[in-house]
């Protein structure tokens, strides 16, 4: 690892995530042993699969629900993400409104806000201690171009129904009292976000659904999904409904290889900061983001560290997935540079862990939920990095679709969206890497004094359809 980044003596690269390092990486349970029948079989034991199983069993305890997982429950993005239980849409309201109208898009947004409290309430009811603090989210601008986008974002959110109670501009005094980001020129704050320890949430959820009678078979990769069947090397589960809940790992299923792009995101976490917090603030434990194109996301952890993430090497050729979480040296350096640029006092700290994970990106960058009552095949995902909250809403929506309940959730504008797949290679690889190269260049130009959004960023948005 580079000498440019100070590393703790027990520094770890990969091994799933820091979140699991603090808990102990679990031993995967028993695999499926032969064919079996069920009412619902769910492929993937992350947030989406586990929430779906939870709400199904709560609504209908007699249902036979089976979950199949390639590694162990919570191995993927659910145990590696930034810990943002955030109310932002996975996608843009304009795209949801295009098919269902403005009021439906606004309704989806309000339900997303409510979903944060739903997750918190279930965690409390089920005794899941996930270090949850609902401190909101602060988004900062650190140059003139970012400040213009910040005001444009605020105006956009007002247009889509966000009131002063949902998001507001911070004056300089309140901004500095919350957390002191070096070079910040403006910031907005929204109450619709909570910090979580993601691995604690997903492990607690796995325990809860097992207690409800859900069978989770680990070390059981699904090789094919067909109507009423999920096929594995160890047997086939036959069920009335087969639900794909594989998010960033969807590309590993041949039949869905180009459905969602597996986009890589990386994180580092510092040592406990001790007295360094005096120079930073951050007492309310809100989440932190910025207005850069090559954006970052951060939280103050329960044990007094900063967990800091962003895009590293964003995509592997052929939609391959590096599931061990090893993070490239260049990425660790880039994240450290961003972190210490925002908080110079952290140059006295060290990096304790670096890891990576994948998220699912549909071609239109909007999430979907779908259940075909004829074939029994369904899915949810494509959260584009907003999955901690969105997966809970997806689980409740899948419950209503599977049980054929005529509810508000079953008519949300993300249900049954039709989206084309991604392009063939090498177009995917060229497009993604061109996009992020342009974003990096745009950020550099804006940091150097360009007072408006760089045209390079607009070109990148056009290339990928964001």
């Amino acid at each position: 690892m580079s000498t440019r980044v100070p590393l703790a003596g027990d520094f770890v690269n990969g091994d799933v995530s820091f979140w699991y390092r603090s808990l102990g990486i679990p031993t995967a349970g028993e695999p499926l042993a032969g064919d079996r029948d069920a009412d619902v079989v769910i492929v993937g034991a992350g947030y989406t699969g586990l929430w779906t199983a939870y709400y199904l069993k709560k609504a209908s305890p007699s249902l036979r629900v089976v979950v199949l997982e390639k590694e162990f429950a919570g191995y993927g993005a659910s145990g590696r993400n930034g810990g943002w239980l955030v109310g932002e849409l996975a996608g843009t309201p304009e795209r949801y409104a295009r098919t269902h109208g403005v009021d439906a898009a606004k309704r989806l947004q309000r339900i997303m806000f409510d979903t944060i409290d739903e997750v918190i309430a279930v965690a409390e009811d089920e005794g899941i201690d996930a270090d949850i603090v609902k401190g909101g989210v602060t988004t900062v601008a650190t140059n003139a171009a970012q400040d213009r986008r910040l005001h444009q974002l605020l105006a956009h959110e007002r247009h889509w129904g966000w009131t002063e109670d949902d998001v507001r501009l911070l004056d300089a005094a309140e901004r500095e009292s919350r957390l002191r980001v070096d070079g910040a020129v403006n910031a907005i704050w929204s109450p619709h976000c909570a910090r979580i320890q993601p691995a604690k949430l997903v492990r607690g959820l796995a325990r809860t659904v097992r207690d409800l009678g859900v069978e989770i078979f680990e070390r059981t990769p699904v090789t094919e999904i067909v109507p009423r069947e999920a096929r594995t090397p160890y047997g086939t589960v036959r069920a009335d409904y087969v639900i794909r809940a594989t998010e960033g790992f969807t590309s590993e299923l041949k039949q869905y290889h180009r459905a969602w792009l597996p986009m890589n995101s990386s994180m580092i976490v510092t040592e406990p900061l001790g007295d360094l917090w005096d120079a930073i603030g951050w007492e309310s434990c809100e989440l932190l983001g910025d207005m850069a194109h090559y954006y970052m996301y951060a939280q103050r952890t329960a044990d007094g560290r900063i967990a800091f993430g962003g895009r590293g090497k964003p995509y592997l050729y052929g939609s391959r997935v590096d599931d061990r979480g090893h993070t490239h040296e260049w990425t660790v350096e880039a994240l450290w540079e961003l972190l210490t640029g925002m908080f110079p006092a952290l140059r006295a700290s060290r990096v304790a862990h670096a890891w990576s994970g994948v998220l699912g990106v549909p071609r239109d960058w909007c999430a979907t939920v779908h259940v075909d009552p004829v074939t029994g095949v369904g899915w949810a995902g494509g959260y584009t990095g907003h999955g901690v909250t969105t997966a809970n809403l997806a689980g409740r929506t899948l419950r209503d679709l599977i049980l054929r309940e005529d509810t508000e959730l079953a008519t949300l504008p993300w249900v049954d969206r039709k989206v084309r797949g991604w392009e063939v290679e090498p177009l995917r690889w060229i497009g993604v890497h061109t996009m992020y190269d342009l974003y990096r260049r745009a950020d550099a130009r804006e940091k150097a004094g360009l007072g408006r959004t760089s045209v390079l960023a607009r070109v990148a948005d056009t290339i990928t359809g964001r």
Side-chain angles (χ1 to χ4, degrees):
M1 184 58 66
S2 170
T3 57
R4 294 173 55 189
V5 180
L7 305 177
D10 59 349
F11 171 79
V12 175
N13 191 336
D15 284 350
V16 189
S17 69
F18 166 76
W19 310 120
Y20 273 114
R21 178 185 180 182
S22 64
L23 297 179
I25 297 176
T27 301
E30 291 301 311
L32 181 69
D35 296 345
R36 64 192 306 113
D37 295 324
D39 296 306
V40 181
V41 58
I42 299 167
V43 182
Y47 289 143
T48 300
L50 295 174
W51 280 124
T52 303
Y54 175 82
Y55 287 110
L56 282 170
K57 289 293 282 187
K58 281 288 190 177
S60 183
S62 63
L63 280 177
R64 298 167 299 164
V65 180
V66 171
V67 180
L68 303 175
E69 166 58 44
K70 180 181 178 182
E71 300 286 348
F72 58 77
Y75 177 82
S78 299
R80 308 186 194 205
N81 63 80
W84 283 46
L85 185 62
V86 66
E88 295 176 10
L89 290 179
T92 64
E94 287 86 354
R95 283 181 170 161
Y96 294 118
R98 195 174 299 159
T99 54
H100 288 73
V102 170
D103 289 344
K106 289 181 177 180
R107 179 165 52 96
L108 176 58
Q109 179 61 80
R110 285 290 152 191
I111 291 173
M112 278 293 296
F113 289 160
D114 294 341
T115 298
I116 298 169
D117 294 323
E118 169 71 12
V119 173
I120 294 171
V122 172
E124 183 175 351
D125 290 345
E126 301 294 351
I128 301 172
D129 178 6
D131 299 337
I132 301 175
V133 177
K134 192 178 180 184
V137 55
T138 295
T139 305
V140 299
T142 57
N143 58 51
Q146 289 186 20
D147 190 30
R148 289 183 66 175
R149 284 200 298 280
L150 188 80
H151 282 85
Q152 291 167 355
L153 173 63
L154 184 60
H156 179 267
E157 290 174 337
R158 289 279 184 268
H159 175 76
W160 286 99
W162 294 48
T163 69
E164 188 77 8
D165 291 332
D166 297 314
V167 62
R168 61 185 174 85
L169 193 67
L170 300 177
D171 61 37
E174 185 176 3
R175 186 184 73 233
E176 291 299 302
S177 69
R178 285 183 173 276
L179 68 166
R180 292 178 282 281
V181 175
D182 192 60
V185 296
N186 237 323
I188 56 175
W189 178 80
S190 169
H192 300 300
C193 193
R195 179 200 75 189
I196 67 163
Q197 208 279 32
K200 285 187 176 182
L201 178 60
V202 74
R203 296 304 295 170
L205 190 54
R207 170 187 53 78
T208 299
V209 300
R210 283 187 169 108
D211 290 346
L212 290 172
V214 173
E215 293 184 288
I216 302 177
F217 295 102
E218 299 175 310
R219 293 182 287 162
T220 305
V222 171
T223 56
E224 188 178 13
I225 293 172
V226 299
R228 319 288 179 194
E229 292 184 0
R231 297 172 178 172
T232 85
Y234 311 118
T236 295
V237 180
R238 300 178 182 86
D240 294 332
Y241 292 94
V242 183
I243 303 301
R244 191 186 84 225
T246 47
E247 191 56 0
F249 293 91
T250 300
S251 63
E252 295 189 331
L253 288 164
K254 184 178 180 180
Q255 66 209 102
Y256 301 110
H257 183 66
R258 290 195 285 131
W260 295 335
L261 198 79
M263 191 78 75
N264 204 53
S265 194
S266 300
M267 296 196 72
I268 59 174
V269 68
T270 68
E271 297 177 308
L273 297 182
D275 293 341
L276 292 177
W277 285 114
D278 295 339
I280 298 170
W282 216 338
E283 294 180 1
S284 297
C285 296
E286 63 262 52
L287 286 300
L288 173 64
D290 72 356
M291 291 302 299
H293 304 291
Y294 208 78
Y295 62 89
M296 49 69 59
Y297 50 94
Q299 69 150 277
R300 176 174 178 164
T301 68
D303 61 347
R305 308 166 187 260
I306 293 178
F308 190 91
R311 295 290 182 265
K313 298 292 186 181
Y315 175 72
L316 299 177
Y317 190 89
S319 292
R320 291 179 292 111
V321 175
D322 177 12
D323 60 2
R324 297 298 154 187
H326 187 273
T327 301
H328 194 277
E329 178 179 318
W330 176 90
T331 300
V332 178
E333 291 178 354
L335 292 175
W336 178 250
E337 183 178 346
L338 283 171
L339 175 58
T340 55
M342 300 182 87
F343 302 111
L346 294 184
R347 295 192 181 101
S349 180
R350 298 184 297 180
V351 176
H353 199 130
W355 70 98
S356 297
V358 293
L359 50 98
V361 180
R363 192 60 182 86
D364 69 346
W365 297 76
C366 291
T368 57
V369 180
H370 173 80
V371 174
D372 183 348
V374 176
T375 65
V377 175
W379 61 79
Y383 303 134
T384 65
H386 295 83
V388 180
T389 310
T390 314
N392 174 276
L393 180 56
R396 288 182 285 143
T397 304
L398 284 168
R399 170 202 61 196
D400 291 352
L401 293 172
I402 290 168
L403 299 179
R404 303 196 183 191
E405 299 286 345
D406 184 15
T407 67
E408 181 182 33
L409 299 187
T411 62
L412 289 175
W414 67 337
V415 173
D416 297 335
R417 284 181 60 81
K418 302 296 189 295
V419 182
R420 70 180 177 89
W422 285 87
E423 288 78 2
V424 298
E425 294 291 21
L427 296 179
R428 291 201 301 279
W429 189 92
I430 292 171
V432 173
H433 284 268
T434 299
M435 173 183 72
Y436 278 105
D437 181 62
L438 290 170
Y439 283 151
R440 281 193 294 268
R441 293 173 184 271
D443 283 333
R445 289 187 178 187
E446 293 173 10
K447 184 177 180 180
L450 182 67
R452 53 178 171 75
T453 294
S454 170
V455 69
L456 297 178
R458 301 186 191 281
V459 172
D461 288 344
T462 301
I463 288 173
T464 55
R466 293 186 69 183

